[in-house]
Amino acid sequence: MLSRPFCDLDATIEEQAGMPVEKLFARRGESGFRAIEERAVEAALATGPRSVISLGGGAVGSAKTRALLAEHFVVWLEVDPDTAWARVRRSRRPLARSEAAFRALYEERLPLYRSLADATAADATSVVLAVGGVCHEDGSLDRLGELVPGEGPVALVADSTVLGLFGARARQALGARLASVHELPAGEEAKTIGVASALWSELSLDRGGTLVGLGGGCTTDLTGFVAACYLRGVPWVAVPTTLVGQVDAAIGGKTGIDIAQGKNLVGAFHWPARVVIDETLLATLPERERRQGMAELVKTRLLAGSELDARGAAAFKTALCLEDPHDRGRRRLLNLGHTFAHGLEAAAGFELPHGEAVALGLLAALRLSARDTGELERLLAPRPVEVDPERAWQALLRDKKRSGESINLVLLGDDGPYVAERPAAEVREALETLIAKPSLSRAS
Ligand SMILES: NC(=O)c1ccc[n+]([C@@H]2O[C@H](COP(=O)([O-])OP(=O)(O)OC[C@H]3O[C@@H](n4cnc5c(N)ncnc54)[C@H](O)[C@@H]3O)[C@@H](O)[C@H]2O)c1
Ligand SMILES: [Zn+2]
């Protein structure tokens, strides 16, 4: 999922020794095996910080290994003793011969696992989320005080609607750590240099403080940007309360504001110290806002090629962004449908909601990929918009994806999404299928 090198320690040891672990155990005894294992862990950890390494359950018995692990991100794959026993009872693992002994060993190792773990996870999706600093858990808003890293003071930033809905719970959860509360205008109006500047003036945090952005993508984009520049960068935490935020905007460290020349033209890459996703907060979200997020969720499903839920979509975006934090390579795949969407939005003078533009853009991308559009039409019901086709085309060309007579855009191939080059005429034709002819009543 992270496109990183993977090393399974047991497999490596078996390969190097030329025999299975149980044989190695039988020949050298447990202490002999542990010595070999300790050296193998050290060698694997030395291959660099980007590898994903799976350790055997007993590897952390070595004090040297524990000391080495302190420098790395350690995820404890938590599994209850019954499940663990069910998995290994028929294996030939040397320490899984008697159930009683196995359970005793499990109990004995628990405190070690607990003390070493930077995060706990039960599946691959959770590991990816943990590595990205994402906590995805119902009720996590009420644990905000412990989820904001460190112990320093917190400045809470939210728009008035969100403060009305969740302000009291956030205040309570932050308790004594809460230093100040800052109210933003709702929506895109928050993403201006004026609002950022006012916030910089109001803040009285030192570098040990943390900004918490509670709200939709507008709030988290602005909060992250303010945090990126304040005192040359303080940590921030995103608590997304919209579907757009929970599957997209709060993840990946892109922060920013709008200027007169366009949306998101000023900003910074500033990865949040934590993203706290509590899906129960979406219960109050108006249907119109939910649809915005659905478009990004469907986009992510198309990219992943599977039926992801919101948590899976958050993990998918986290993985892509961890792989390419500065948007120079694979992260660009997240632009699926967006070349068309940006053209239509600009031509509509930004009156067209982003999600509706993305739904149309995805339709065009599927058509150009020769894919069936039935599912997309059922889920998002994209409807052609009335905009000036020439204006939409010019805006699409300005969207930085142009190379001569052809246009770069993300399409879906047999092996997944890729950046394709298509003739300008073909792209323009696809764009025009998204545009409605002005109706007679309007024209009159
Ligand atoms: N940084 C990124 O990677 C990224 C990605 C996608 C979008 N974005 C940005 O996100 C912004 C759009 O985000 P958005 O759609 O979340 O908009 P938003 O932040 O304006 O929120 C939409 C509205 O919903 C209200 N609201 C929020 N949570 C609510 C809840 N739980 N119940 C009821 N009402 C609630 C808000 O007050 C607001 O009026 C855009 O500016 C876009 O550029 C950024
Ligand atoms: Zn989008």
Side-chain angles (χ1 to χ4, degrees):
M1 290 167 87
L2 295 166
S3 306
R4 293 186 185 203
F6 171 63
C7 164
D8 179 273
L9 241 299
D10 278 354
T12 308
I13 291 170
E14 291 187 338
E15 197 181 314
Q16 280 168 2
M19 63 182 87
V21 166
E22 79 241 37
K23 212 168 182 183
L24 206 53
F25 240 77
R27 288 225 184 136
R28 305 275 184 96
E30 179 169 1
S31 64
F33 172 78
R34 294 296 172 209
I36 294 170
E37 185 180 45
E38 192 180 85
R39 285 196 296 278
V41 175
E42 187 173 9
L45 290 176
T47 59
R50 289 188 48 83
S51 304
V52 176
I53 301 167
S54 99
L55 301 181
V60 297
S62 146
K64 184 170 176 203
T65 294
R66 290 200 298 275
L68 287 172
L69 287 177
E71 307 291 312
H72 296 265
F73 192 81
V74 180
V75 182
W76 172 21
L77 292 176
E78 198 177 25
V79 55
D80 63 80
D82 294 338
T83 310
W85 175 245
R87 284 180 187 164
V88 298
R89 54 184 299 192
R90 284 185 217 293
S91 76
R92 303 163 60 122
R93 303 187 71 86
L95 298 179
R97 302 264 154 87
S98 123
E99 180 168 357
F102 178 82
R103 286 180 185 270
L105 195 58
Y106 179 98
E107 287 305 323
E108 187 187 310
R109 287 172 176 174
L110 272 187
L112 274 185
Y113 294 161
R114 255 187 218 120
S115 69
L116 280 169
D118 295 297
T120 304
D123 55 25
T125 298
S126 309
V127 175
V128 169
L129 290 170
V131 174
V134 182
C135 167
H136 204 295
E137 201 180 288
D138 287 0
S140 48
L141 174 64
D142 301 310
R143 295 205 296 119
L144 199 51
E146 52 181 287
L147 290 172
V148 175
E151 270 144 35
V154 168
L156 177 67
V157 184
D159 72 28
S160 48
T161 309
V162 170
L163 271 182
L165 288 166
F166 309 117
R169 277 172 68 189
R171 280 187 170 93
Q172 163 122 37
L174 288 165
R177 292 187 68 181
L178 183 63
S180 53
V181 179
H182 310 266
E183 186 172 321
L184 303 178
E188 205 67 30
E189 271 170 58
K191 288 176 56 175
T192 65
I193 190 66
V195 171
S197 171
L199 198 45
W200 284 319
S201 316
E202 287 168 30
L203 288 171
S204 61
L205 293 175
D206 61 19
R207 285 233 176 98
T210 304
L211 264 71
V212 172
L214 168 70
C218 293
T219 299
T220 51
D221 273 13
L222 184 274
T223 306
F225 175 65
V226 164
C229 304
Y230 188 67
L231 305 180
R232 299 194 179 85
V234 294
W236 75 290
V237 169
V239 190
T241 64
T242 62
L243 187 55
V244 168
Q246 296 193 350
V247 300
D248 194 355
I251 295 161
K254 274 192 190 176
T255 73
I257 57 171
D258 307 329
I259 58 174
Q261 284 68 22
K263 279 185 61 174
N264 300 323
L265 288 184
V266 172
F269 289 100
H270 189 38
W271 200 282
R274 184 139 298 153
V275 182
V276 178
I277 301 183
D278 183 346
E279 281 193 67
T280 66
L281 305 186
L282 302 182
T284 51
L285 195 67
E287 187 50 35
R288 175 174 40 90
E289 299 296 344
R290 186 179 302 274
R291 276 207 305 273
Q292 306 300 312
M294 264 315 282
E296 305 291 357
L297 182 54
V298 170
K299 175 194 79 178
T300 312
R301 284 180 186 162
L302 289 170
L303 290 172
S306 65
E307 279 300 301
L308 299 175
D309 56 9
R311 181 169 163 276
F316 185 87
K317 182 168 182 192
T318 302
L320 261 188
C321 297
L322 282 170
E323 188 187 339
D324 176 23
H326 297 105
D327 209 4
R328 296 193 179 111
R330 279 182 46 87
R331 185 173 183 165
R332 293 191 188 153
L333 298 175
L334 294 168
N335 277 325
L336 181 69
H338 279 59
T339 303
F340 295 101
H342 292 154
L344 295 170
E345 285 177 287
F350 294 97
E351 295 291 303
L352 178 66
H354 180 67
E356 283 170 36
V358 170
L360 284 165
L362 292 175
L363 185 64
L366 285 181
R367 285 174 178 156
L368 287 174
S369 307
R371 289 282 186 103
D372 180 62
T373 59
E375 172 87 349
L376 178 98
E377 295 188 78
R378 192 175 58 73
L379 283 170
L380 301 178
R383 296 243 305 278
V385 281
E386 268 184 44
V387 293
D388 176 16
E390 184 58 28
R391 207 175 147 197
W393 177 242
Q394 291 306 326
L396 184 151
L397 291 180
R398 268 198 309 276
D399 199 44
K400 291 177 283 185
K401 284 160 196 91
R402 194 181 174 188
S403 64
E405 282 309 293
S406 57
I407 289 177
N408 288 342
L409 73 174
V410 181
L411 295 181
L412 301 174
D414 291 338
D415 303 324
Y418 67 108
V419 178
E421 239 183 63
R422 284 301 171 92
E426 195 183 327
V427 175
R428 177 157 188 164
E429 201 177 302
L431 176 71
E432 290 192 358
T433 64
L434 310 176
I435 298 174
K437 303 281 169 293
S439 65
L440 284 176
S441 57
R442 272 283 183 83
S444 63

